[in-house]
């Protein structure tokens, strides 16, 4: 009996391994590396979702090297989609994770590079006969990237999860307000104004260096040229906006701003979900712990909302 049980576990493990395979894409002089996850036991074509992570050193699984540990938010989302018969591709963006190649240096990165990379993935997926429908889902900064890449890559539908409804400068000013002493806030405003005008700043106070270090300023300049409200308003395909009510990084107002810019988009508010897609409610200790706890599942309501939207006719 014990042998049969162990054999059963082995078969489940082999089945899961067979459903996952490494994938790659050549772009801009380098290679992007990712993971394809396909549902087991499904006959015929299936829909596929291209998942895009948020800002900074966030990898294909939703994990950030600046945090104490992994949360696996995007990996868990991909696994949840697979259980609903939906395939997915999630990848390390250029200069991050397995895609951290010498050819890509931080000072040369631009938001438009990430948009172009995502559009290239979408175009590749559209030529894959295994897939019936190609959808992109972006999380946090990835939502802005998705809203523009979906148009360029001709996605069948677009999903924006925990995406900002304002340009970067508005978001940063709100996040920093009350957290910086007035002199530093004034310096931050000065630097932001320079960046908005396309000028780098060589006078960055040490406390602000992590945010405005010289190598990242060109990327910030490129990001400030994009308005998420204009991007979503320009989309012609079906759009789903998903927002958690306990997100301490992106407030509900941002989702409503996106919804106002695209009235035909579907808006789903997930009660108790935070920015890393976990249900935390009002538990502040769990809110903090969720950012580096991989065994805490992503919100089932999120998986249901995205799955239903992806499979809708």
């Amino acid at each position: 009996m014990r042998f049969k049980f162990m054999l059963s576990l082995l078969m489940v493990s082999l089945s899961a391994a067979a459903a996952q395979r490494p994938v790659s894409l050549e772009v801009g002089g380098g290679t992007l590396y990712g993971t394809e996850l396909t549902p087991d036991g499904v006959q015929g074509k299936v829909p596929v979702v291209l998942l895009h992570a948020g800002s900074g050193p966030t990898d294909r699984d939703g994990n950030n090297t600046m945090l104490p540990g992994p949360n696996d938010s995007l990996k868990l989302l991909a696994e949840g989609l697979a259980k609903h018969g939906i395939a997915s591709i999630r990848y390390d963006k250029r200069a991050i994770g397995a895609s951290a190649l010498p050819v890509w240096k931080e000072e040369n990165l631009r938001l438009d590079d990430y948009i172009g990379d995502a559009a290239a993935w979408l175009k590749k997926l559209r030529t894959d006969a295994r897939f019936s429908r190609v959808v992109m889902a972006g999380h946090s900064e990835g939502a802005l990237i998705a809203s523009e890449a979906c148009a360029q890559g001709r996605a069948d539908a677009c999903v924006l999860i925990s995406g900002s409804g304002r340009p970067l400068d508005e978001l940063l000013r709100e996040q920093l307000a009350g957290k910086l002493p007035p002199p530093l806030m004034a310096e931050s405003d000065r630097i932001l104004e320079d960046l908005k005008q396309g000028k780098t700043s060589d006078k960055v106070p040490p406390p602000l260096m992590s945010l405005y270090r010289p190598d990242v300023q060109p990327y910030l300049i490129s990001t400030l040229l994009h308005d998420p409200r204009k991007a979503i308003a320009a989309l012609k395909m079906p759009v789903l906006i998903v927002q958690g009510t306990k997100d301490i990084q992106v407030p509900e107002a941002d989702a409503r701003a996106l919804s106002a810019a695209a009235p035909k988009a579907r808006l789903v508010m997930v009660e108790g979900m935070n920015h890393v897609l976990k249900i935390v409610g009002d538990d502040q200790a769990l809110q903090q712990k969720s950012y580096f706890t991989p065994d805490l599942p992503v919100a089932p309501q999120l998986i249901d909302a995205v799955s239903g939207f992806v499979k809708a006719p």
Side-chain angles (χ1 to χ4, degrees):
M1 193 71 178
R2 179 178 175 82
F3 173 75
K4 288 183 178 180
F5 175 71
M6 294 300 293
L7 181 61
S8 176
L9 286 180
L10 177 61
M11 293 305 293
V12 169
S13 175
L14 289 175
S15 176
Q20 178 173 299
R21 72 182 184 96
V23 289
S24 62
L25 181 69
E26 298 290 329
V27 292
T31 305
L32 301 174
Y33 295 94
T35 301
E36 177 187 280
L37 193 63
T38 52
D40 278 335
V42 178
Q43 301 297 319
K45 293 185 176 184
V46 297
V48 62
V49 176
L50 179 69
L51 295 170
H52 199 290
S55 62
T58 307
D59 67 15
R60 72 184 83 176
D61 292 334
N63 299 323
N64 191 310
T65 56
M66 298 176 70
L67 295 175
N71 61 67
D72 282 351
S73 54
L74 295 185
K75 177 184 177 182
L76 293 169
L77 176 56
E79 292 172 350
L81 293 175
K83 291 177 181 177
H84 283 74
I86 299 170
S88 64
I89 300 287
R90 61 188 195 275
Y91 66 97
D92 293 331
K93 55 193 176 183
R94 56 174 72 192
I96 301 299
S99 303
L101 309 179
V103 67
W104 291 318
K105 300 183 184 302
E106 185 178 57
E107 63 267 26
N108 297 325
L109 296 177
R110 304 292 184 271
L111 185 75
D112 297 276
D113 294 327
Y114 290 148
I115 294 169
D117 292 346
W121 275 107
L122 290 171
K123 291 173 183 177
K124 179 180 180 180
L125 293 175
R126 289 188 65 85
T127 66
D128 195 321
R130 296 174 299 158
F131 302 131
S132 59
R133 198 162 187 245
V134 177
V135 179
M136 182 172 179
H139 174 247
S140 194
E141 183 187 64
L144 173 59
I145 291 167
S147 65
E148 300 206 25
C150 281
Q152 293 184 19
R154 297 186 298 113
D156 293 307
C158 192
V159 181
L160 311 181
I161 306 171
S162 307
S164 173
R166 295 161 290 168
L168 179 62
D169 58 317
E170 293 181 27
L171 182 64
L172 284 176
R173 285 192 173 99
E174 179 181 289
Q175 290 180 340
L176 295 175
K179 297 182 177 67
L180 295 178
L184 268 184
M185 191 68 205
E187 284 294 288
S188 177
D189 288 341
R190 174 189 61 78
I191 295 170
L192 271 177
E193 196 55 40
D194 283 346
L195 297 177
K196 278 193 71 174
Q197 295 178 22
K199 300 183 295 184
T200 57
S201 176
D202 56 1
K203 296 180 180 179
V204 180
L208 298 177
M209 189 60 73
S210 63
L211 186 59
Y212 299 121
R213 61 188 180 279
D215 284 354
V216 81
Q217 287 186 30
Y219 184 81
L220 295 176
I221 289 172
S222 72
T223 304
L224 287 165
L225 298 174
H226 298 264
D227 186 332
R229 295 165 297 198
K230 293 180 180 179
I232 192 174
L235 291 176
K236 305 301 181 184
M237 72 281 293
V239 178
L240 172 67
I241 304 165
V242 187
Q243 176 66 41
T245 63
K246 298 301 177 180
D247 190 328
I248 58 175
Q249 293 180 244
V250 178
E252 294 179 44
D254 282 81
R256 302 197 186 282
L258 291 174
S259 180
K264 292 183 179 180
R266 182 184 177 194
L267 173 62
V268 174
M269 307 298 291
V270 179
E271 187 64 36
M273 186 178 80
N274 71 354
H275 194 68
V276 291
L277 316 181
K278 313 292 181 80
I279 297 293
V280 298
D282 294 319
D283 189 332
Q284 295 306 307
L286 186 59
Q287 172 80 260
Q288 182 177 5
K289 184 180 178 182
S290 68
Y291 277 74
F292 47 88
T293 304
D295 55 358
L296 186 66
V298 297
Q301 303 94 315
L302 168 68
I303 295 174
D304 289 344
V306 175
S307 298
F309 175 76
V310 170
K311 297 172 80 172

